[in-house]
Amino acid sequence: MVSLALFWGAAKKEKQVIYSIQAAIIYALLTTGWYNIEHNPHLLLWLCNITAVIGLVLSFWFNQKLFEIFFYFAWTGDLLTLMIWPNPVSPPLTTFPLSWAGFVLKHSAPLALTILFIKQGRLLNRDAAWTALKAMLVYAGFIAVYDFVLGQNILDFRYPSIDIMKHFGSWPYYIIVNVALALLWYYIIHAIAKRLKIIKIS
């Protein structure tokens, strides 16, 4: 319900919704951060945490390039995560309800923030998708090294954590499929953004 209220307020460009979004992101980072530290501190490096932090920064201080990275990170990682249930990295609802709620808000509040920015007249530059993709490649490269050096599996670089990935073949074939799907998703977002006229013409 809170997530729906954030989306509604953002779409209606309500003046007070920015404070609700900020509060939701802070709550999400605190509750899920505590859960990650208790169970696996390495999970603090997940893209959703970084996206939420970027969103929080943007809510206080807007930067065009950072907004473009944030927009694509939110509409790829956050949206797809909300579509995957049960999610293997989500805190269990039965034993950690506050962290579970934070997990949902951590992925929905940034999406609401992108809607609010667009409603406020913030548009994407024509090369926004490429800017965000370069940022994603830098992040993914860092995480790949991090995973293999420290024995972690952030972004599933060492083994698939979601059942559907297991149908893509063994390592590294499922990674190749994941990269191809990510590129396709970036293109779809770009095409939709262009269709909705939220990309600057020049």
Side-chain angles (χ1 to χ4, degrees), residues 57-201:
V57 170
L58 284 170
S59 70
F60 291 102
W61 174 73
F62 187 85
N63 176 273
Q64 182 64 30
K65 288 294 183 184
L66 199 59
F67 166 58
E68 291 167 358
I69 293 171
F70 172 69
F71 180 89
Y72 280 90
F73 278 17
W75 286 98
T76 51
D78 286 346
L79 180 61
L80 291 177
T81 298
L82 289 173
M83 295 170 63
I84 299 171
W85 290 101
N87 193 294
V89 296
S90 170
L93 173 60
T94 53
T95 52
F96 295 92
L98 297 180
S99 298
W100 182 89
F103 184 84
V104 174
L105 288 174
K106 186 167 63 178
H107 295 84
S108 59
L111 292 173
L113 185 58
T114 65
I115 295 172
L116 179 62
F117 282 144
I118 296 301
K119 286 293 184 177
Q120 291 174 340
R122 309 284 190 179
L123 300 178
L124 302 168
N125 286 319
R126 294 178 66 183
D127 62 347
W130 177 236
T131 298
L133 185 58
K134 287 189 291 185
M136 176 63 79
L137 290 173
V138 170
Y139 169 75
F142 168 77
I143 291 300
V145 174
Y146 188 94
D147 281 353
F148 285 98
V149 171
L150 297 179
Q152 297 302 307
N153 193 43
I154 302 170
L155 293 185
D156 296 329
F157 276 120
R158 294 179 59 233
Y159 53 87
S161 63
I162 302 174
D163 288 339
I164 191 172
M165 287 188 189
K166 297 175 183 177
H167 298 293
F168 298 159
S170 58
W171 190 94
Y173 299 109
Y174 76 90
I175 295 177
I176 296 173
V177 174
N178 284 346
V179 170
L181 290 174
L183 292 173
L184 176 62
W185 192 244
Y186 264 70
Y187 175 78
I188 291 172
I189 293 173
H190 175 74
I192 293 174
K194 192 173 181 180
R195 184 83 173 182
L196 295 175
K197 298 182 179 181
I198 59 177
I199 295 179
K200 296 178 183 177
I201 299 176

Side-chain angles (χ1 to χ4, degrees), residues 29 43 45-53 77-78 81 89 103 106-107 110 139:
L29 288 172
L43 294 181
L45 290 178
W46 266 104
L47 184 62
C48 57
N49 289 322
I50 294 172
T51 302
V53 170
D78 286 346
T81 298
V89 296
F103 184 84
K106 186 167 63 178
H107 295 84
Y139 169 75

